[in-house]
Amino acid sequence: LYYFIDTEGDPTVWGVNAKYVIPVQLVENLGIAVGAGYTSTSSDAPDDLTSMTAYAVATYAIEAGVTIKPSVGVAYEKVEFGDFDESGVRFFASVLAMVMPELAVGAEFVSTNDDLDGEDADADIWFGARYMTPVQGLAVQAGMINNPNFGGGADAEDFVFHVGAQYSFNFGQ
């Protein structure tokens, strides 16, 4: 995963994420998954920021003319940035609506954690669209993400443009 976020400091962000969808469905249309990820951010700052995340998520598919997929989850995250080395729990929720077979629009909310973000931080908010390309497993997305007010510093009301690509593959059925 590589993506560009247009913010001050010209950051370069890359990461890798793996998610395993548990193949047992306890409730019809309910999917449960666990995952882990690593992200590295370099910018004009003297130190790079790295984070490692482990998470669990539940997604429920609702067929209502279009498929709507609300999700909720919890993540444990460890963040390192110079002398800063903290870990904590975040909660997240999202909703995607498949407005066409290849196109989804949606939004996501990720809670703050005082140990990770500092006091008076604002939650992460994303909204945008994801297009499933004709290439099997390849999706591209674009949207707006807020500039979270980590530790009371940046202006959280400024949203910035975000683009990204995702590739998923299946190890068999």
Side-chain angles (χ1 to χ4, degrees):
L1 169 66
Y2 176 87
Y3 54 94
F4 170 78
I5 301 175
D6 182 22
T7 62
E8 286 185 34
D10 296 323
T12 299
V13 183
W14 69 270
V16 63
N17 185 58
K19 179 165 67 171
Y20 176 71
V21 178
I22 299 171
V24 176
Q25 210 174 57
L26 302 174
V27 175
E28 187 176 351
N29 296 334
L30 178 67
I32 306 289
V34 293
Y38 172 86
T39 304
S40 175
T41 304
S42 10
S43 67
D44 294 343
D47 295 307
D48 290 347
L49 182 143
T50 60
S51 68
M52 292 161 273
T53 306
Y55 62 92
V57 61
T59 301
Y60 189 78
I62 302 167
E63 298 295 334
V66 297
T67 302
I68 301 170
K69 296 181 178 181
S71 298
V72 294
V74 61
Y76 171 81
E77 185 172 1
K78 179 174 178 51
V79 176
E80 296 175 357
F81 180 64
D83 292 336
F84 182 85
D85 186 352
E86 292 288 341
S87 58
V89 173
R90 297 182 193 274
F91 299 94
F92 59 92
S94 68
V95 64
L96 280 177
M98 298 299 298
V99 295
M100 294 172 36
E102 303 85 17
L103 181 65
V105 295
E108 181 176 55
F109 170 87
V110 181
S111 71
T112 62
N113 179 297
D114 286 350
D115 291 336
L116 296 171
D117 306 323
E119 293 181 16
D120 298 324
D122 295 311
D124 286 326
I125 301 169
W126 173 87
F127 59 92
R130 182 174 298 147
Y131 174 72
M132 286 46 130
T133 70
V135 176
Q136 178 75 26
L138 180 63
V140 293
Q141 67 184 36
M144 300 298 286
I145 189 168
N146 68 325
N147 208 357
N149 190 14
F150 296 124
D155 185 0
E157 295 167 4
D158 292 337
F159 277 78
V160 294
F161 183 65
H162 154 78
V163 294
Q166 302 169 339
Y167 183 75
S168 60
F169 49 90
N170 188 339
F171 286 113
Q173 297 281 336

